[in-house]
Amino acid sequence: MSVALLTDLTVFVLAVLVGFEVISKVPATLHTPLMSGANSIHGIILIGVMIIAGEARTVPEYALVAVAAAFATANVVGGYLVTDRMLEMFRR
């Protein structure tokens, strides 16, 4: 295993742990506004996926790009749907 891969895996695992810890401390009343805003930020991840897709050369790399694109797209769409649903509550 290369040093770069080990470093990337370490950063990924730490990001997951920190993200889980931060989100688990948010009160339930703030979850919807916080998550709808955070999910829309996944548009930035889609840009990263497109950049990585240009560098992909092997089948596993293409598979990871496809999975990342699918999850990021689901989060972007979900974030906007949740935001729209929240705004509907304030319309007459």
Side-chain angles (χ1 to χ4, degrees):
M1 186 173 339
S2 71
V3 174
L5 178 61
L6 187 59
T7 301
D8 290 345
L9 285 174
T10 303
V11 169
F12 176 74
V13 169
L14 289 174
V16 168
L17 293 174
V18 168
F20 178 77
E21 193 63 29
V22 168
I23 294 300
S24 67
K25 303 290 186 222
V26 174
T29 55
L30 294 178
H31 258 277
T32 302
L34 175 67
M35 294 312 292
S36 68
N39 287 340
S40 66
I41 293 172
H42 275 81
I44 296 168
I45 293 174
L46 282 172
I47 293 170
V49 167
M50 288 187 274
I51 293 169
I52 301 273
E55 301 292 321
R57 300 287 178 252
T58 65
V59 173
E61 290 173 346
Y62 285 120
L64 285 174
V65 165
V67 169
F71 283 142
T73 301
N75 274 328
V76 168
V77 171
Y80 284 115
L81 289 175
V82 168
T83 301
D84 185 56
R85 199 171 183 187
M86 283 180 357
L87 292 175
E88 279 292 321
M89 295 188 315
F90 297 104
R91 293 190 186 128
R92 292 182 180 204

